Amino acid sequence: MPARLTPAQPIPDARGKEVVQAAAIGESPSLAAKERQRALTARLMEQVCEPANLNRAYARVKANKGSPGVDGMTVGKLGGWIKRHKQAFIASLLDGSYQPQPVRGVQIPKPGGKGMRQLGIPTVADRLVQQAMLQVLEAILDPAFSASSYGFRPGRSAHDALAQARQYVADGRDIVVDIDLEKFFDKVNQDILMARLGRWVGDKRMLKIIGRFLRAGLMQDGVCVSREEGTPQGGPLSPLLANLLLDDLDKELEKRGHAFCRYADDCNIYVQSKAAGERVLSSVTLFLEKKLRLRVNRDKSAVAFITERKFLGHRLLPGGGLGIAPQSLERAKERVRQITRRNRGVSLPEVIGELNQFLTGWVAYFRHAACKNHLNGWTSGFAASSAACASSNANAPAQLPSFCTNWACLSGVPGLARSAAKAGGVKAAALRRWRA
């Protein structure tokens, strides 16, 4: 386990170069502490290139699968590529000359049809390098992050963030300051991000390579566009770098004594009055835009009663209860409609298999919310006929009983849940776990 480090305080390079400069007088820690920090992190690339670390990174990239990058190489071909290029590949990492390729631009629709989200898919070789770096950097950076930061961190989850938010509400903070960062991953200031990373990393080779990852072009529709800002979503390093930058926000909120939860770029601050909330929103917006040069979306940010806003797909309730946000319910219904369209041209077993997968994940994610009867009536007709089919038809698809059980538990129809369980041989205890 690497020693916990105290960051140095570099001056950001105005041209965005990769050199980490000395800190200003009066801002740096003691010379001894600074030298110790540099010594501990001066040879991180050797840790990145250790066989055990690279093997673990390769296994992770392979398990994650994913689409090819601009070179068209699939995850399945990565092993053969490594065998052919191993020595040159490792040598380029150790001497700091490794050159990432442009990312492949992909746009996906945002939830609710509210525009498109830009993703950047690195090549599988670049994903391997990023994953190997992540495994080294995470052990150094993550222990220093705020306890109120939950997104993309080992041992933390969205459910942990929701549990903390519920506690704040139970303590009487039922007004939320909901801050929306406009196109956060696309608008990250690379100079500031590299300066923050330079507080912790003394290995200039690593800083150079990460800087190249940030500035790698984006290839879309046959055109490669250079990027001077942002950290593209799609690579293993992006969430860690986002948390590193937003840790400045976390520390500022902690210094002010605020009760808050942050999950990636989704930040909620809980206060006891709207007047206090308006003051907090104004001051935090100023901090984000002046200190971190991020843009706050003033149309989407708001100070409101907790039931009027959503957090991680949920809606907080008075007293610390938890419900499902209406938008999440509508998206679930729309997804089921898409899967069950009659003109899809797929077989009934395939439809049921897709529904099983979706409903299992959906119920598992919203398992702590008070969602009984949310979909009652909307689902009961289809699920009842499916349960009857499973009970009476020996040739019914094998997946049908578990589908009926999932749907019944989602819709909160006790009688239907029992009939589906009977058809599928599911024990009552299992149903209780689903509905807990």
Side-chain angles (χ1 to χ4, degrees):
M1 175 68 67
R4 182 160 179 167
L5 306 177
T6 302
Q9 302 291 333
I11 298 174
D13 183 25
R15 297 175 298 168
K17 298 297 182 182
E18 298 144 335
V19 178
V20 179
Q21 302 179 19
I25 296 175
E27 294 181 341
S28 63
S30 68
L31 180 61
K34 203 161 62 170
E35 289 301 321
R36 175 175 173 271
Q37 187 267 340
R38 293 292 182 210
L40 285 170
T41 61
R43 302 189 65 80
L44 292 182
M45 289 308 297
E46 278 70 19
Q47 295 181 38
V48 169
C49 293
E50 287 179 359
N53 187 61
L54 287 174
N55 288 338
R56 189 157 61 97
Y58 171 74
R60 186 61 180 267
V61 170
K62 191 173 181 180
N64 288 344
K65 301 179 181 179
S67 302
V70 294
D71 60 357
M73 185 168 69
T74 62
V75 173
K77 297 179 179 179
L78 179 59
W81 182 90
I82 293 172
K83 289 179 181 178
R84 294 191 301 272
H85 303 281
K86 180 178 178 180
Q87 291 185 346
F89 172 65
I90 293 178
S92 68
L93 293 175
L94 290 175
D95 65 18
S97 64
Y98 183 82
Q99 293 285 346
Q101 296 191 58
V103 296
R104 181 169 64 88
V106 176
Q107 291 191 333
I108 61 172
K110 291 182 178 180
K114 299 177 180 178
M116 304 295 286
R117 176 174 286 118
Q118 180 71 59
L119 301 183
I121 310 300
T123 65
V124 290
D126 287 345
R127 297 207 292 267
L128 174 65
V129 175
Q130 288 195 33
Q131 181 63 38
M133 287 184 167
L134 171 67
Q135 291 165 183
V136 172
L137 285 174
E138 192 169 62
I140 297 170
L141 301 177
D142 189 81
F145 289 159
S146 168
S148 296
S149 167
Y150 295 91
F152 306 106
R153 296 184 60 190
R156 289 174 164 252
S157 69
H159 292 133
D160 296 326
L162 289 164
Q164 183 60 73
R166 294 174 70 180
Q167 186 59 55
Y168 289 145
V169 174
D171 291 341
R173 299 179 177 91
D174 51 11
I175 301 297
V176 61
V177 182
D178 189 353
I179 298 175
D180 185 276
L181 294 175
E182 183 177 342
K183 296 182 178 178
F184 168 71
F185 285 93
D186 297 332
K187 300 299 182 183
V188 166
N189 186 290
Q190 294 180 2
D191 293 352
I192 294 178
L193 176 56
M194 290 304 298
R196 297 302 182 268
L197 189 60
R199 293 176 178 177
W200 295 95
V201 175
D203 193 326
K204 293 183 180 180
R205 299 166 298 174
M206 177 176 279
L207 293 172
K208 287 180 180 180
I209 294 173
I210 292 177
R212 292 182 193 126
F213 274 123
L214 291 175
R215 294 190 301 277
L218 185 142
M219 181 75 73
Q220 191 158 324
D221 299 326
V223 178
C224 186
V225 180
S226 62
R227 293 183 295 117
E228 300 298 330
E229 62 180 0
T231 170
Q233 290 179 270
L237 266 179
S238 292
L240 180 68
L241 295 178
N243 276 333
L244 175 63
L245 181 63
L246 290 175
D247 190 58
D248 277 22
L249 171 63
D250 299 340
K251 295 300 192 291
E252 180 68 18
L253 295 177
E254 288 176 348
K255 185 173 71 174
R256 299 182 186 185
H258 290 311
F260 71 98
C261 291
R262 183 178 65 79
Y263 193 95
D265 59 335
D266 197 350
C267 184
N268 279 4
I269 307 169
Y270 298 90
V271 296
Q272 294 179 315
S273 71
K274 282 198 172 183
E278 294 292 349
R279 290 194 299 269
V280 170
L281 178 59
S282 176
S283 63
V284 172
T285 297
L286 184 65
F287 174 84
L288 286 166
E289 295 186 339
K290 297 296 184 183
K291 184 73 178 289
L292 299 183
R293 299 182 192 174
L294 297 171
R295 300 180 187 175
V296 175
N297 190 325
R298 286 168 169 76
D299 293 332
K300 294 183 179 180
S301 300
V303 177
F305 191 64
I306 50 169
T307 57
E308 299 172 18
R309 308 295 291 183
K310 65 181 178 69
F311 183 47
L312 301 175
H314 293 72
R315 180 172 59 181
L316 292 163
L317 305 175
L322 194 65
I324 302 178
Q327 301 95 318
S328 299
L329 285 170
E330 287 305 314
R331 284 199 294 270
K333 293 178 181 180
E334 180 57 31
R335 179 61 182 147
V336 171
R337 290 190 191 101
Q338 292 173 358
I339 295 173
T340 56
R341 281 202 318 267
R342 294 183 179 182
N343 60 353
R344 287 188 65 202
V346 299
S347 66
L348 180 61
E350 289 178 285
V351 171
I352 292 171
E354 287 185 48
L355 282 170
N356 265 332
Q357 185 177 25
F358 170 71
L359 294 175
T360 298
W362 199 91
V363 173
Y365 182 72
F366 289 102
R367 64 184 181 271
H368 298 303
C371 59
K372 186 176 180 180
N373 294 325
H374 267 307
L375 302 183
N376 191 6
W378 185 74
T379 62
S380 57
F382 185 84
S385 62
S386 300
C389 173
S391 300
S392 61
N393 188 355
N395 297 320
Q399 308 101 310
L400 194 53
S402 59
F403 156 67
C404 295
T405 301
N406 292 347
W407 194 302
C409 294
L410 179 63
S411 61
V413 186
L416 176 57
R418 285 193 293 271
S419 65
K422 184 177 180 181
V426 180
K427 295 181 180 178
L431 279 180
R432 284 195 296 270
R433 285 197 299 273
W434 268 102
R435 301 169 73 185

